[in-house]
Amino acid sequence: MSNLQISEDILPLGHFKTHASQLLKSLNSNNRAIVITQNGKPAAVVLSPNEFDRLNAQARFISAVQQGLNDEQAGRVIDDDELDAILERELPTT
């Protein structure tokens, strides 16, 4: 995602409503989020579907890494030989 352009990407709700079609078209081309304000305060952020998917994938990856680190710190690990035995038992090769 590109850096937010304060003068272009922070819009009041009324402006977003009247220019929604044009703004949504530009969302993919400029690769920047749009911050929508209501009563002068941030109320919502609009992202392209690709950016939304990228952020979700990144969050899942970070969560999985953190879970692995937590498991390692808690001693919930097995060595390679034990893993090989489990995999062979569960997924035998033919």
Side-chain angles (χ1 to χ4, degrees):
M1 178 168 36
S2 297
N3 291 332
L4 191 69
Q5 298 292 318
I6 301 296
S7 63
E8 297 175 24
D9 300 333
I10 300 178
L11 307 171
L13 180 59
H15 181 84
F16 181 79
K17 285 180 181 179
T18 58
H19 299 92
S21 181
Q22 174 190 4
L23 291 166
L24 292 176
K25 285 178 186 175
S26 70
L27 199 61
N28 287 316
S29 63
N30 66 20
N31 201 30
R32 295 189 320 251
I34 298 172
V35 178
I36 300 171
T37 62
Q38 191 171 28
N39 299 321
K41 296 180 180 177
V45 176
V46 180
L47 303 170
S48 71
N50 287 338
E51 184 62 14
F52 180 82
D53 290 343
R54 187 190 71 76
L55 289 172
N56 274 334
Q58 183 180 34
R60 285 191 313 271
F61 175 78
I62 291 170
S63 178
V65 169
Q66 187 60 56
Q67 183 179 354
L69 292 171
N70 292 343
D71 286 344
E72 192 277 329
Q73 288 177 349
R76 295 184 299 262
V77 296
I78 59 175
D79 64 27
D80 288 342
D81 293 334
E82 189 176 351
L83 176 60
D84 287 342
I86 291 169
L87 291 175
E88 183 61 36
R89 188 171 57 247
E90 298 293 324
L91 305 168
T93 58
T94 49

